[in-house]
Amino acid sequence: MTEATDRITLPITGMTCANCVATIERNLRRLDGVQSAVVSLASERASVEFDPARVDQEALVARIRRAGYDVALGEAVVPLARLADDNDGRRLEAALRAVPGVVDASVILATEQARAHYIPTVTSQADIREAIRRAGFEPIEAQGSFEDAERAARQHEIGRQRRLLLTGILFTVPLFLMAMARDLGFVPGMLAHAPAYNWALFALASPVQFYVGWQYYVGAFKALRNRSANMDVLIAMGSSAAYFYSLTVLFGLVDGHLYFETAAVIVTLIVLGKFLEARARGQTSDAIRKLMGLRPATARLVRDGTEVDVPLEEVRVGEVFLVRPGEKIPVDGVVIEGRSSVDESMLTGESMPVGKGPGDEVIGATLNRLGLMRGEATRVGRDTALAQIVRLVEQAQASRAPIQRLADQVSAWFVPAVIGVAGLTFLGWLLLGGPLPSGESAFTRAMIAAVSVLVIACPCAMGLATPTAVMVGTGKGAELGILFKSGEALERAGRVDTVLLDKTGTMTRGQPTVTDVLGADSQRTEAELLRLAAGAERGSEHPLGDAVVAAATSRGLELPQPEGFHAIAGQGIEATVDGHVVLVGSARMMESRGLALDGLGDRLARLQQEAKTAVAVAIDGRVAGILGIADSLKDGSQDAIRQMQSLGLRVMMITGDNRQTAAAIARSAGLAVDGRPADDVVRAEVQPGDKAAEVASLQGAGHRVAMVGDGINDAPALAQADVGVAIGTGTDVAMAAAPVTLISGDLRGVPRAIRLSRGTLRTIRQNLFWAFFYNVVLIPAAAFGLLSPMLAAGAMAFSSVFVVSNSLRLRRLELGP
């Protein structure tokens, strides 16, 4: 028997030579089911013949990636007109994954979007949209950018539900009033029993049932056709039972009460809930829309010496852009002319403007506050920091948090179970219902109870409980410069009990800074002492010399040029500055020259105890003072540590420095506590490669550890930790080696991230409790006849609204300074 074979062409990236071709071909041929694999270096294509029963296209892509190369996949983001519940999402995901060329697909119920990564040589976005239509859903055709498409999808759904709601109210209110007036005896007897009265009720109910409620019939049909069941099935069954039973009574086929108003109220209340839910859900993605809205529409470029305004999409790397005060910087770039103060708070969450001058990097979408600047574009389009942030937030919002698994498992069988309970309810009341009230039949009572069961059930609340909270949480984090790369990272951050902080570059600035200027007597001011020392150090390339020069420059001191500069290895430097012979170096250097410290010895010892490097300055053969140099703490580090400790977290520091220096830094940061052993809060003299082992040791002791580092030399430890938090900058967002990234270098982002995670977890638990409690309690109540169908419909309509509204409360969560 001949094997069925498929052929696929894959666009490959990362190939450089013939060896790459051989490597990819060899790896593909190792897969069971691959008959042949031919790779072309010139066209960068791999043509693969394979047996689809034994290997699929996802395995082919994974194998290429495992070999160290990649497949150039396209991404389709398709807004959808309407998703009923989580079952619809799973059904559409399955339909998209069945499309040849689609490698993976996900459907986000909270945003009503379908996302698919596809092989562009096999399929296209048009094919994906067609597959969505074949599955019974409606993709929104929107022109323009992604945010335009999303906004169009939102407005389309809200406007449609508003029209249906107004129509439902227009017919349902008079229908309900007429039915209740007759039931309560407010209608004269002759009119109450006149056939025309019943036909009037029928005329009012029918538009609601088949116009307002038609969406539920369509949704139920499509679900059942695909051998699935969703919320639409429950609504269609419940309202149809009341409507068609009333129709049989109207036609005189059976004796009984009319329930046209029940069917209409069910449909109208459900539409009201869907309308409110659509409006609320539209707010869950406000944060990402705000981020995308930060981009200016145009950029002012300098082309051929002339200033021209062009659409942002036309800016190319290397072009020169011009930014006036009050304007937004169009793309990421480097300042080549001018100085200004830039507000980066929209990306980093930091309120203080940042000074920018020639050579400094600027981030697109940030606000130029003061001066005129020219810059050279270094990153444009999808490569800008803002685009990277948006992508990371989108990926996080599309991911599933582990806590969602239970809801996913329950949702899969929920609707069939409810239909089964409704069937048992009907049979139970019909056969074992007991005495009947006057004028009511056993069939009617059984039908009303079964309808209540069908209508009260709400799978939507379970499907929305986790993703809406994750969306709001990740969005709020992005606004504050905290990027969670997945729902799992957002969940895990709230469960940690230990925070391990890297010292250099995380707690400290990562560069030496002059902290003390101590004069030997009053003959020279501190400014004069620092000016002469910095003048001598201008010829030095040592980091300590750079620190002295930077300190003098920051104070506005004018530095003279040194003469006769001479570096003494391991000790210091000697130079002539403004006619003075200046020595800058260690105490040992001064002793070797026979220079006494003149009472500065105690001060020098104190600086050393504080883990500072003490540098002596001698002028014209006499020690004139001492400079204290240290890697100083970042602004906010002490406050961040206090906040983490107030959250009940064990905060520790890890560093490669010696124990004396580490202990001093720990004391200054507020980590050392009287009576506590240093090793309890400090891990000193740890090599970069051993940091991951320290994390594993803490985990082995039963701790959930968050590792905070700079994302480069700390990468193994960040990966080992339960939650890795990378201290990054706005332009290096995509390079962070951790599931959580703080765009700014402010350590206070760590307690904010943990508070946000805990708040999100708390909201998810509230949502899941409500969703399960609601269904577990009210479905049996409806089955036992304690709820009328109209009350059941009202409760069901507002259950999803409650879940979404509760998630939106996260936007007001206080995360501290």
Side-chain angles (χ1 to χ4, degrees):
M1 185 174 177
T2 304
E3 287 184 322
T5 60
D6 280 353
R7 183 179 293 276
I8 189 172
T9 300
L10 301 171
I12 309 295
T13 60
M15 293 191 298
T16 58
C17 63
N19 185 57
C20 300
V21 171
T23 300
I24 296 172
E25 289 180 346
R26 184 173 61 253
N27 275 271
L28 287 172
R29 288 167 185 160
R30 285 176 180 170
L31 283 175
D32 181 32
V34 172
Q35 273 90 42
S36 68
V38 179
V39 178
S40 168
L41 181 62
S43 63
E44 296 185 298
R45 294 284 190 270
S47 179
V48 186
E49 191 173 358
F50 63 102
D51 177 5
R54 296 160 61 193
V55 65
D56 58 20
Q57 57 198 20
E58 291 184 47
L60 299 177
V61 172
R63 191 71 178 193
I64 291 171
R65 288 174 171 168
R66 181 181 170 185
Y69 305 90
D70 205 356
V71 177
L73 300 179
E75 182 181 21
V77 180
V78 184
L80 304 168
R82 181 173 174 272
L83 286 174
D85 60 19
D86 207 36
N87 287 328
D88 273 2
R90 283 191 294 273
R91 180 160 58 88
L92 182 52
E93 283 181 1
L96 288 174
R97 291 191 180 109
V99 176
V102 171
V103 175
D104 64 75
S106 63
V107 175
I108 311 166
L109 182 64
T111 59
E112 293 189 317
Q113 290 176 349
R115 292 175 175 272
H117 288 93
Y118 61 97
I119 302 168
T121 51
V122 179
T123 191
S124 65
Q125 294 208 20
D127 296 328
I128 292 170
R129 288 178 175 271
E130 183 57 33
I132 292 173
R133 293 189 186 93
R134 286 199 306 269
F137 300 92
E138 182 184 355
I140 297 297
E141 299 289 348
Q143 299 298 320
S145 61
F146 168 74
E147 57 265 35
D148 295 333
E150 185 184 22
R151 191 177 300 111
R154 292 285 176 216
Q155 295 306 317
H156 180 278
E157 177 64 10
I158 292 172
R160 189 173 72 92
Q161 294 295 346
R162 182 188 291 112
R163 289 192 301 273
L164 293 173
L165 175 61
L166 292 175
T167 303
I169 291 172
L170 180 66
F171 287 95
T172 300
V173 170
L175 169 62
F176 180 78
L177 293 176
M178 289 176 63
M180 290 298 102
R182 183 169 68 176
D183 291 346
L184 296 174
F186 295 143
V187 179
M190 282 186 64
L191 179 59
H193 298 291
Y197 201 93
N198 291 340
W199 282 100
L201 297 179
F202 163 75
L204 289 169
S206 295
V208 179
Q209 189 70 30
F210 297 111
Y211 174 68
V212 180
W214 185 248
Q215 58 182 324
Y216 302 116
Y217 284 109
V218 173
F221 170 76
K222 291 176 178 177
L224 293 173
R225 184 183 63 185
N226 288 278
R227 299 180 181 178
S228 179
N230 60 9
M231 186 199 73
D232 291 341
V233 174
L234 301 180
I235 297 171
M237 289 178 65
S239 62
S240 295
Y243 179 85
F244 287 107
Y245 172 79
S246 301
L247 209 58
T248 61
V249 175
L250 179 66
F251 292 151
L253 301 177
V254 296
D255 292 329
H257 188 277
L258 294 175
Y259 289 99
F260 283 125
E261 79 284 357
T262 298
V265 168
I266 287 172
V267 172
T268 301
L269 284 176
I270 298 297
V271 173
L272 172 61
K274 284 297 173 187
F275 170 68
L276 295 176
E277 181 188 327
R279 289 211 318 182
R281 281 163 65 177
Q283 300 174 48
T284 60
S285 55
D286 275 354
I288 199 167
R289 283 203 298 274
K290 287 179 184 176
L291 283 173
M292 300 179 82
L294 291 174
R295 298 179 306 178
T298 61
R300 182 173 292 110
L301 302 182
V302 179
R303 289 178 173 173
D304 299 326
T306 305
E307 296 180 14
V308 292
D309 289 335
V310 301
L312 195 64
E313 293 76 16
E314 295 183 12
V315 181
R316 298 292 177 261
V317 172
E319 289 197 289
V320 176
F321 58 83
L322 183 68
V323 190
R324 294 191 173 95
E327 295 181 342
K328 289 182 179 179
I329 296 169
V331 294
D332 295 358
V334 176
V335 178
I336 57 177
E337 184 181 337
R339 292 187 178 275
S340 184
S341 178
V342 177
D343 181 358
E344 297 181 345
S345 60
M346 63 282 294
L347 293 183
T348 65
E350 300 303 319
S351 57
M352 293 298 295
V354 181
K356 300 290 183 181
D360 291 333
E361 292 185 343
V362 289
I363 307 172
T366 55
L367 182 64
N368 181 27
R369 298 287 295 273
L370 298 175
L372 177 69
M373 290 192 301
R374 288 176 184 260
E376 180 181 339
T378 57
R379 295 182 181 90
V380 300
R382 291 176 59 86
D383 295 328
T384 63
L386 178 62
Q388 293 171 18
I389 291 169
V390 169
R391 270 201 306 279
L392 287 173
V393 176
E394 288 174 357
Q395 290 169 8
Q397 293 181 343
S399 66
R400 284 182 168 88
I403 198 172
Q404 189 178 348
R405 291 170 186 159
L406 177 61
D408 288 343
Q409 292 168 356
V410 172
S411 296
W413 56 260
F414 181 80
V415 173
V418 169
I419 295 173
V421 171
L424 293 174
T425 299
F426 179 80
L427 293 175
W429 279 102
L430 189 64
L431 302 175
L432 307 170
L436 295 168
S438 177
E440 185 178 56
S441 69
F443 180 88
T444 300
R445 182 172 63 179
M447 179 200 69
I448 292 302
V451 168
S452 296
V453 170
L454 291 170
V455 174
I456 196 69
C458 185
C460 291
M462 289 185 291
L464 290 169
T466 299
T468 52
V470 168
M471 283 195 67
V472 178
T474 52
K476 183 175 179 65
E479 290 179 342
L480 298 172
I482 305 166
L483 297 182
F484 293 94
K485 291 188 178 180
S486 67
E488 182 176 3
L490 180 63
E491 179 181 331
R492 283 189 172 187
R495 301 184 190 276
V496 302
D497 56 50
T498 302
V499 179
L500 190 58
L501 302 173
D502 173 54
K503 180 183 77 70
T504 306
T506 300
M507 292 174 59
T508 66
R509 299 181 186 277
Q511 58 186 25
T513 304
V514 174
T515 58
D516 302 85
V517 181
L518 306 174
D521 49 43
S522 58
Q523 291 183 4
R524 296 186 188 277
T525 64
E526 291 183 359
E528 178 67 9
L529 176 67
L530 183 61
R531 188 182 76 88
L532 291 175
E537 290 284 8
R538 289 188 70 174
S540 172
E541 296 181 354
H542 196 280
L544 295 182
D546 291 341
V548 175
V549 173
T553 304
S554 67
R555 298 190 186 192
L557 303 178
E558 291 190 11
L559 305 186
Q561 287 289 345
E563 298 176 3
F565 178 85
H566 176 59
I568 304 168
Q571 295 189 36
I573 58 104
E574 180 179 4
T576 301
V577 181
D578 281 352
H580 300 284
V581 177
V582 178
L583 296 175
V584 183
S586 64
R588 187 179 59 181
M589 176 183 178
M590 301 302 158
E591 292 173 359
S592 67
R593 298 292 182 99
L595 302 178
L597 292 178
D598 288 344
L600 291 173
D602 291 342
R603 294 187 181 184
L604 186 144
R606 179 175 61 81
L607 290 176
Q608 290 177 336
Q609 288 174 357
E610 294 173 355
K612 296 176 181 177
T613 300
V615 176
V617 181
I619 301 174
D620 295 331
R622 182 171 180 269
V623 176
I626 295 176
L627 305 179
I629 302 176
D631 184 4
S632 60
L633 288 173
K634 288 182 179 178
D635 295 335
S637 289
Q638 291 175 321
D639 186 28
I641 289 169
R642 281 196 299 270
Q643 289 185 47
M644 285 185 271
Q645 290 170 337
S646 70
L647 291 172
L649 298 166
R650 180 189 184 193
V651 186
M652 305 177 64
M653 183 183 78
I654 188 167
T655 178
D657 284 346
N658 63 69
R659 296 186 183 279
Q660 183 181 5
T661 301
I665 292 292
R667 283 194 297 271
S668 64
L671 279 176
V673 178
D674 291 339
R676 177 188 289 178
D679 285 346
D680 195 36
V681 293
V682 177
R683 295 287 190 269
E685 300 177 10
V686 179
Q687 296 300 315
D690 297 331
K691 289 182 179 180
E694 292 289 341
V695 173
S697 175
L698 289 169
Q699 291 171 325
H703 295 289
R704 292 191 179 100
V705 182
M707 171 68 194
V708 186
D710 61 15
I712 302 171
N713 63 336
D714 297 318
L718 291 171
Q720 173 66 39
D722 295 275
V723 178
V725 182
I727 300 289
T729 63
T731 52
D732 293 325
V733 173
M735 298 172 63
V740 182
T741 300
L742 306 181
I743 303 176
S744 72
D746 193 337
L747 203 58
R748 284 173 291 195
V750 176
R752 288 180 193 141
I754 292 172
R755 286 193 185 98
L756 179 58
S757 175
R758 290 181 177 180
T760 304
L761 271 175
R762 185 167 56 248
T763 300
I764 290 172
R765 291 191 187 104
Q766 291 169 352
N767 289 349
L768 289 173
F769 173 80
W770 166 258
F772 284 107
F773 174 82
Y774 165 90
N775 285 293
V776 168
V777 172
L778 293 188
I779 289 176
F784 284 107
L786 302 179
L787 289 173
S788 72
M790 286 186 283
L791 287 176
M796 186 272 179
F798 287 95
S799 60
S800 295
V801 176
F802 170 84
V803 166
V804 178
S805 300
N806 190 49
S807 296
L808 289 173
R809 289 172 57 244
L810 275 172
R811 298 191 302 179
R812 299 191 297 274
L813 182 67
E814 290 294 329
L815 299 179

